[in-house]
Amino acid sequence: LYTLAYESTVTGEPMNVPPVFDYYADTQTHSQSDYDYLVGDYLLAAPVYNEGSTTRSVYLPYADGVDWYYWPNGNPSSQPSGDRFTGGQTVNVNAPMGTLPLFVRSGAIIPMSAAMQYMNQSQPGWMDIHCWPKGDSEFTLFEDDGETWDYLGGDQAKRRMVSSRTEARWDLTIEAKQGTYNPGARDFYVYCYNPGTSVVQSVTLNNVALTQVSDFNAQAQCWRLMPDGRIGVKVPDTGALTAIRVN
């Protein structure tokens, strides 16, 4: 969300927009602006607005090749990816009290760290990068101290993350850090939610094979098949180019 707030100051585009804003070619979105909204490029939120409702009917915008995965409250509705739907249809999903229906667009790259009530409440030693790879997609993470105007003088950090998926492999490239801001020592935990297979031939980091483990605490950089079917890769954030390949 902090990245989206920064992008708003640069482009003028609000963090939250109605679906028609990005999917205007889909005429069905022209009447979907009252209750549903996009959060950046990769999330569609559909809040429950009727008292006592335990389900939510949602129109999923259509774009060529785009799928949507149900991710209520930031958790997949089914393992590992969440229920998958094609765009251009209305779906009815479970949404009991306390549930915010969220849908993730295929190709999504969603970095997340510890929940905080305010900036710099803590400095976690990790960041999760949630991915639903399909085709080519990207996201640029923005970070600064969150408190001063120093970012205007260059004390900021940007990390461009590029995902590319084919039938045979998935590449996630985290480009070298741009800017002088230091987010502190941490590890990246990269998760692929829709691997489509449990057969992984190899995982490499900058063309060097990583060891498969059953526990991320076993090594500083490694990979594992998660119990829920996701592929997880742990790599240290050194600020340098990080090229992950899953074959």
Side-chain angles (χ1 to χ4, degrees), residues 85-100:
F85 304 98
T86 57
Q89 64 171 319
T90 298
V91 298
N92 198 54
V93 294
N94 290 326
M97 182 178 293
T99 298
L100 173 61

Side-chain angles (χ1 to χ4, degrees), residues 68-229:
W68 296 94
Y69 295 89
Y70 190 37
W71 208 43
N73 287 353
N75 295 293
S77 57
S78 61
Q79 297 180 345
S81 65
D83 295 329
R84 185 180 70 173
F85 304 98
T86 57
Q89 64 171 319
T90 298
V91 298
N92 198 54
V93 294
N94 290 326
M97 182 178 293
T99 298
L100 173 61
L102 288 172
F103 293 85
V104 180
R105 175 182 166 138
S106 56
I109 303 170
I110 303 178
M112 296 179 68
S113 193
M116 300 184 197
Q117 299 300 314
Y118 52 88
M119 282 298 299
N120 296 328
Q121 182 181 10
S122 64
Q123 192 170 41
W126 55 272
M127 175 174 283
D128 290 340
I129 303 175
H130 304 285
C131 302
W132 287 258
K134 185 174 184 179
D136 298 325
S137 58
E138 65 178 78
F139 180 85
T140 299
L141 175 71
F142 175 86
E143 297 175 287
D144 62 16
D145 64 20
E147 297 177 334
T148 72
W149 298 100
D150 292 351
Y151 75 95
L152 294 174
D155 191 21
Q156 56 178 260
K158 292 182 179 180
R159 299 296 296 275
R160 183 171 178 251
M161 304 177 184
V162 180
S163 172
S164 180
R165 181 172 184 169
T166 66
E167 289 287 337
R169 66 176 183 263
W170 171 49
D171 290 315
L172 180 71
T173 303
I174 305 174
E175 296 183 356
K177 185 185 74 171
Q178 303 295 314
T180 60
Y181 176 70
N182 181 10
R186 66 185 175 188
D187 293 318
F188 287 142
Y189 292 85
V190 178
Y191 296 102
C192 175
Y193 277 76
N194 57 335
T197 180
S198 60
V199 180
V200 178
Q201 295 179 349
S202 65
V203 178
T204 62
L205 172 62
N206 297 334
N207 295 317
V208 177
L210 292 177
T211 301
Q212 182 178 2
V213 299
S214 59
D215 186 336
F216 273 140
N217 293 322
Q219 295 196 23
Q221 52 190 46
C222 50
W223 75 276
R224 62 178 294 205
L225 286 173
M226 308 301 293
D228 59 11

Side-chain angles (χ1 to χ4, degrees), residues 19-33:
V20 67
F21 197 91
D22 285 351
Y23 298 91
Y24 50 84
D26 179 359
T27 57
Q28 294 298 316
T29 64
H30 299 179
S31 59
Q32 302 294 320
S33 301

